[in-house]
Amino acid sequence: MSDYIFLFDLDSTISKIEILPEISKFIGKEKEIRALTEKTMAGELPFKHSFLQRVEILSCTDVAQVNDMIAGIPLNEGIARFIRENPDRCYVVTGNLDVWISGLMERLGMENHCFCSKAAVKDGKIDKVISVLDKQLTVSQFVQPMVAVGDGDNDAEMAQIADIGIGFGGVRNIARSLIETIDFAFYDDEKLYDFLNKLL
């Protein structure tokens, strides 16, 4: 049995959709959010800058309503199954806000194994963003051998630090910067599930 721990991006890796664009459908801001998301995924906008812009656009939405909706989004079941079967060795590393994804983390059994951005809530709405997750800084603090799985530009440094970097392109194209750093690429979550089990 290996000593690997497994670090997973959330959007388009564990989930079959991007979370912030899904929230934007609630308030008719889909076009604006999609444009910012695409620029971020392509590496044209720094994640922190883009994320704060997107949260500002979405901050008028009811936090509890969003959390309930996100808790039920479709998942790549092969990846989700691996996480549920190995909860002690898996971690979710995402820039998404804690107040939006806590229900989904409970669904995955990752309530205590999630590194994410933090926000303060007032009167049921986001009052302010407290912190924005830095994936590179977070991952660099782990001392065990790591397997990192992601799809976007902001996963590239995470994959580079990890002992094994994996790109997942089952939902969208793997970012070019990530392709340059990974050891393996998968485009089917069941095949990825089989491969991850071989690393246990």
Side-chain angles (χ1 to χ4, degrees), residues 75-79 168 187-194:
L75 306 177
N76 289 300
E77 283 303 326
I79 297 172
F168 178 67
Y187 297 85
D188 178 275
D189 60 307
E190 292 297 336
K191 289 181 179 177
L192 176 54
Y193 170 82
D194 291 340

Side-chain angles (χ1 to χ4, degrees), residues 13 16 77 86 98 106 110 114 123 164 175 188:
T13 300
K16 285 189 173 182
E77 283 303 326
N86 303 281
D98 56 346
E106 288 178 23
M110 288 287 101
C114 177
D123 299 325
I164 298 176
D188 178 275

Side-chain angles (χ1 to χ4, degrees), residues 12-158:
S12 299
T13 300
I14 299 173
S15 71
K16 285 189 173 182
I17 57 174
E18 292 282 333
I19 287 173
L20 296 189
E22 192 69 11
I23 298 170
S24 72
K25 294 177 184 178
F26 267 156
I27 57 173
K29 298 288 186 181
E30 196 172 358
K31 186 177 179 181
E32 295 96 319
I33 295 297
R34 185 187 296 118
L36 284 166
T37 299
E38 293 298 331
K39 286 183 178 180
T40 307
M41 295 298 291
E44 296 172 19
L45 272 179
F47 176 80
K48 185 176 181 179
H49 176 73
S50 167
F51 181 74
L52 290 172
Q53 280 188 293
R54 288 178 286 167
V55 169
E56 187 174 352
I57 293 170
L58 301 174
S59 60
C60 63
T61 55
D62 181 81
V63 166
Q65 191 176 16
V66 169
N67 195 301
D68 287 345
M69 179 193 69
I70 298 306
I73 62 172
L75 306 177
N76 289 300
E77 283 303 326
I79 297 172
R81 186 165 66 254
F82 180 84
I83 291 171
R84 291 191 187 105
E85 290 172 357
N86 303 281
D88 294 340
R89 296 176 62 180
C90 293
Y91 293 85
V92 177
V93 184
T94 175
N96 276 292
L97 290 175
D98 56 346
V99 296
W100 282 340
I101 65 169
S102 61
L104 178 56
M105 292 304 103
E106 288 178 23
R107 178 181 168 193
L108 287 166
M110 288 287 101
E111 308 99 298
N112 299 316
H113 277 223
C114 177
F115 295 89
C116 61
S117 301
K118 309 284 185 182
V121 175
K122 184 178 181 181
D123 299 325
K125 307 284 177 67
I126 289 175
D127 183 43
K128 59 187 173 184
V129 175
I130 297 169
S131 63
V132 178
L133 183 91
D134 183 321
K135 288 192 177 185
Q136 181 183 19
L137 180 61
T138 299
V139 173
S140 67
Q141 295 178 66
F142 283 95
V143 295
Q144 287 181 262
M146 292 174 283
V147 177
V149 185
D151 73 305
D153 178 73
N154 68 331
D155 296 314
E157 290 173 333
M158 177 170 81

